């Protein structure tokens, strides 16, 4: 029987016998059907123990190294001025080169502090593609979150090296049209999570920087996956082929004036983040807000041991062997799916593979959420949890109306240092099997939702 009050009946067996281990929970289709129904057909609301392979996110789900744990055991938990903070700060400054480092409990807290201090009603924040939390924080200030990803990035199947690039011509035109006073910052998300995890080239980062500097507009990186982006620059931008990953990362940051960071990604930690920037006056305002919302500026929302994990993790993310294995695993899954005829975003991304649910399930209209149907199908068939990046996530408009998102994708995101090739083979088998019976999948309708970031908590029922 499941935990008291829990929805499911996976045997407790190993779970209780081996605290700290993650047993593999083999479950039957009948158990998963019941679990999903009790979760309002929303995989975010499942109990994680009822998931066999969890590809919901790569955020905070990685395995930490023995070095990270060693640092955590030796952490300094002083409220103010902890040595763990100074180790964290020095790693961030070393890699990013930014002057001020403001720790936060995760990436969205850095976004909240930044946008509350720079954006106001009527402003525009350009980005290649805003991630959902970034968009929500921009819109929460009454500003417009404008996506300017290049035309290439919108072509899901074009095999091109840097589909996360921003369209520099459109950016330039936007600056000329609306004027610099309406653009308090330009952002660039590396890699472009909501656009298929596609990388941004160094040439494009430098191009955005040139436009920003020529117009006196601050330029920020959403740096969650900076190391994966650096790997793609090394392997796809010829002049960087023999440049060490750390040097590439430093150069990327060197073009910007600051960054927001969720350390749950390329910080290799389970929690944490930061805002880093060069502007002294803005940093003071941000620190004042941090005290109000996160905590004292030498811990933000983190424990000393979290800062130790990040201080070590930021360097581990730059390890070339690790990056090679990680990015090749996802590419290998992509090759298997492509050879079975499954439409995926190509090339595969740094942290995830994205299935084009709209193309795979043309019989489900976008407003019946083909991505949602596909992610639920993967769970029912094989206990795999992915996440919809589509109309449920982006379709709700600020005025409460709904329209189809540009794309309906299902993201299979890989936790860092967790899954091996045999897991990947199992995933491929399930996706291919589901593809073969795709006509059986049906759409959904929403029966309960929140006005922002609705995908996290919405409840659904099958449309027919
Ligand atoms: C590109 C991007 N930006 C920002 C965030 C927000 O980070 P967090 O989940 O730590 O708040 C995420 C999280 O997935 C992300 O992928």
């Amino acid at each position: 029987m499941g935990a008291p009050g829990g929805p499911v009946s996976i045997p407790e067996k190993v779970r209780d016998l081996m605290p700290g281990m993650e047993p593999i929970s083999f479950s039957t289709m009948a158990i998963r059907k019941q679990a999903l129904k009790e979760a309002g057909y929303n995989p975010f609301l499942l109990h994680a123990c009822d998931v066999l392979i969890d590809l919901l996110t790569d955020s905070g789900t990685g395995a930490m190294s023995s070095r990270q744990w060693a640092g955590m055991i030796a952490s300094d938990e002083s409220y103010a001025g902890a040595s763990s903070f100074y180790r964290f700060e020095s790693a961030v400054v070393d890699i990013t080169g930014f002057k001020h480092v403001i720790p936060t409990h995760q990436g969205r807290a850095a976004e909240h502090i930044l946008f509350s201090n720079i954006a106001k009603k009527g402003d525009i924040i350009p980005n290649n593609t805003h991630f959902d939390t970034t968009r929500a924080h921009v819109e929460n200030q009454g500003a417009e979150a404008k996506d300017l990803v290049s035309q290439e990035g919108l072509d899901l199947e074009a095999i091109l090296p840097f589909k996360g690039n921003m369209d520099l011509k459109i950016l330039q035109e936007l600056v000329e049209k609306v004027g610099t006073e309406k653009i308090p910052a330009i952002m660039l998300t590396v890699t472009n999570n909501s656009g298929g995890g596609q990388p941004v080239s160094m040439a494009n980062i430098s191009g955005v920087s040139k436009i920003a500097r020529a117009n006196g507009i601050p330029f920020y990186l959403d740096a969650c996956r900076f190391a994966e982006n650096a790997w793609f620059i090394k392997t796809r931008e010829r002049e960087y082929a023999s440049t060490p990953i750390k040097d590439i990362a430093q150069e990327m940051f060197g073009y910007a004036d600051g960054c927001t960071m969720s350390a749950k990604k390329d910080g290799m930690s389970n929690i944490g983040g930061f805002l880093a920037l060069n502007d002294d006056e803005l940093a003071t305002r941000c620190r004042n807000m941090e005290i109000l919302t996160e905590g004292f500026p030498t811990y933000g929302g983190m424990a000393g041991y979290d800062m130790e994990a990040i201080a070590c993790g930021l360097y581990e993310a730059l390890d070339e062997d690790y990056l090679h294995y990680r990015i090749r695993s996802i590419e290998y899954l992509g090759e298997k799916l492509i050879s079975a005829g499954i439409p995926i975003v190509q090339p595969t991304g740094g942290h995830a593979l994205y299935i084009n649910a709209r193309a795979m399930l043309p019989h489900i209209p976008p407003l019946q959420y083909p991505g949602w149907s596909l992610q639920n199908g993967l769970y029912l068939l094989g206990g795999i949890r992915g996440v919809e990046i589509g109309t449920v996530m982006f379709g709700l408009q600020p005025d409460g109306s709904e329209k189809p998102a540009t794309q309906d994708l299902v993201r299979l995101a890989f936790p860092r240092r967790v899954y091996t090739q045999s897991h990947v083979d199992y995933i491929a088998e399930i996706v291919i099997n589901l593809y073969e019976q795709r006509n059986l999948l049906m759409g959904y309708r929403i029966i309960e939702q929140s006005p922002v970031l609705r995908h996290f908590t919405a409840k659904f029922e099958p449309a027919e």
Side-chain angles (χ1 to χ4, degrees):
M1 295 279 102
V8 216
S9 49
I10 298 287
E12 275 155 345
K13 48 173 185 162
V14 207
R15 247 188 286 157
D16 290 342
L17 291 173
M18 299 162 68
M21 302 291 286
E22 275 187 54
I24 289 183
S25 294
F26 287 111
S27 53
T28 63
M29 170 93 85
I31 290 174
R32 292 193 291 269
K33 260 189 184 155
Q34 183 61 19
L36 193 60
K37 187 167 178 214
E38 290 178 17
Y41 296 98
N42 185 340
F44 276 108
L45 304 179
L46 287 168
H47 287 209
C49 61
D50 297 324
V51 177
L52 176 56
I53 303 272
D54 205 345
L55 306 180
L56 180 72
T57 178
D58 63 323
S59 181
T61 51
M64 280 203 285
S65 68
S66 48
R67 264 200 219 160
Q68 285 179 294
W69 282 108
M72 290 167 76
I73 287 167
S75 70
D76 177 354
E77 301 299 340
S78 304
Y79 187 95
S83 56
S84 295
F85 169 74
Y86 294 111
R87 271 190 288 280
F88 160 82
E89 184 189 45
S90 113
V92 176
V93 171
D94 177 32
I95 294 168
T96 70
F98 298 129
K99 200 167 154 193
H100 303 283
V101 180
I102 299 175
T104 59
H105 77 276
Q106 59 184 93
R108 70 198 67 188
E111 293 166 358
H112 171 67
I113 293 173
L114 178 66
F115 292 120
S116 307
N117 278 284
I118 63 168
K120 59 180 188 319
K121 195 168 167 29
D123 285 348
I124 297 174
I125 310 281
N127 201 329
N128 41 1
T129 312
H130 287 83
F131 184 66
D132 59 357
T133 59
T134 324
R135 171 174 295 279
H137 279 296
V138 169
E139 289 174 353
N140 199 34
Q141 300 303 319
E144 185 189 347
K146 209 166 185 61
D147 292 342
L148 299 183
V149 73
S150 64
Q151 206 50 39
E152 298 171 347
L154 297 173
D155 181 343
L156 298 187
E157 289 180 17
I159 302 176
L160 295 164
F162 291 107
K163 288 167 68 176
N165 282 355
M166 188 181 271
D167 189 319
L168 299 180
K169 189 164 168 284
I170 296 184
L171 175 65
Q172 180 66 49
E173 285 165 7
L174 178 78
V175 174
E176 283 163 18
K177 186 168 151 224
V178 304
T180 53
E181 61 292 342
K182 277 208 174 303
I183 305 180
I186 298 170
M187 285 204 92
L188 203 46
T189 306
V190 294
T191 56
N192 191 20
N193 186 3
S194 300
Q198 300 293 314
V200 182
S201 69
M202 193 72 90
N204 193 255
I205 298 174
S206 148
V208 172
S209 176
K210 269 199 196 105
I211 294 175
R213 289 191 175 153
N215 292 281
I217 303 172
F219 170 35
Y220 288 84
L221 290 179
D222 177 340
C224 296
R225 299 180 181 83
F226 73 97
E228 290 168 9
N229 200 86
W231 172 262
F232 283 117
I233 289 176
K234 184 176 174 79
T235 52
R236 295 183 184 173
E237 216 165 341
R238 197 171 308 137
E239 57 271 40
Y240 293 92
S242 52
T243 312
I245 292 285
K246 185 180 168 198
D247 294 9
I248 295 175
Q250 286 171 327
E251 184 176 336
M252 286 163 53
F253 286 112
Y255 287 116
D257 301 297
C259 72
T260 54
M261 173 77 187
S262 169
K264 300 169 73 175
K265 284 82 170 174
D266 282 349
M268 304 290 241
S269 67
N270 297 135
I271 196 71
F274 55 85
L275 168 64
L277 69 169
N278 286 332
D279 181 329
D280 297 337
E281 186 271 330
L282 178 58
T284 303
R285 283 193 285 129
C286 289
R287 284 203 179 97
N288 290 341
M289 175 171 270
E290 174 177 49
I291 293 173
L292 189 66
T293 59
E294 290 287 290
F296 191 73
T298 60
Y299 71 85
M302 287 186 282
Y305 54 74
D306 298 322
M307 294 188 283
E308 292 286 355
I310 297 167
C312 184
L314 286 169
Y315 290 107
E316 291 185 347
L318 295 168
D319 181 87
E320 297 198 10
D321 292 338
Y322 148 76
L323 284 166
H324 189 184
Y325 186 87
R326 172 169 177 70
I327 287 168
R328 178 64 195 131
S329 303
I330 299 168
E331 196 179 42
Y332 168 76
L333 176 60
E335 286 163 5
K336 289 193 159 228
L337 302 193
I338 292 165
S339 60
I342 299 173
I344 65 165
V345 175
Q346 296 190 53
T348 45
H351 67 297
L353 178 141
Y354 295 66
I355 304 173
N356 184 349
R358 198 177 286 175
M360 176 166 158
L361 306 175
H363 60 288
I364 303 180
L367 291 181
Q368 284 185 15
Y369 317 126
W372 209 264
S373 173
L374 178 57
Q375 70 172 11
N376 285 357
L378 288 172
Y379 176 69
L380 291 172
L381 190 64
I384 297 170
R385 176 159 66 171
V387 69
E388 188 248 29
I389 307 243
T391 301
V392 175
M393 191 178 269
F394 294 118
L396 185 64
Q397 305 303 299
D399 67 2
S401 64
E402 195 182 33
K403 67 173 191 194
T406 326
Q407 301 152 355
D408 280 294
L409 307 175
V410 169
R411 185 187 74 180
L412 303 179
F414 280 66
R416 292 167 178 76
R417 303 189 290 210
V418 171
Y419 293 123
T420 62
Q421 186 178 344
S422 48
H423 298 101
V424 176
D425 286 331
Y426 172 81
I427 296 162
E429 265 174 48
I430 295 295
V431 180
I432 293 169
N433 195 320
L434 187 66
Y435 178 68
E436 284 160 359
Q437 351 173 15
R438 60 194 178 281
N439 292 338
L440 300 177
L441 291 176
M442 291 193 299
Y444 283 86
R445 77 170 68 90
I446 294 179
I447 52 172
E448 204 183 300
Q449 64 179 321
S450 76
V452 280
L453 299 174
R454 64 177 176 171
H455 51 289
F456 288 124
T457 53
K459 300 251 169 78
F460 297 76
E461 62 184 18
E464 280 152 308

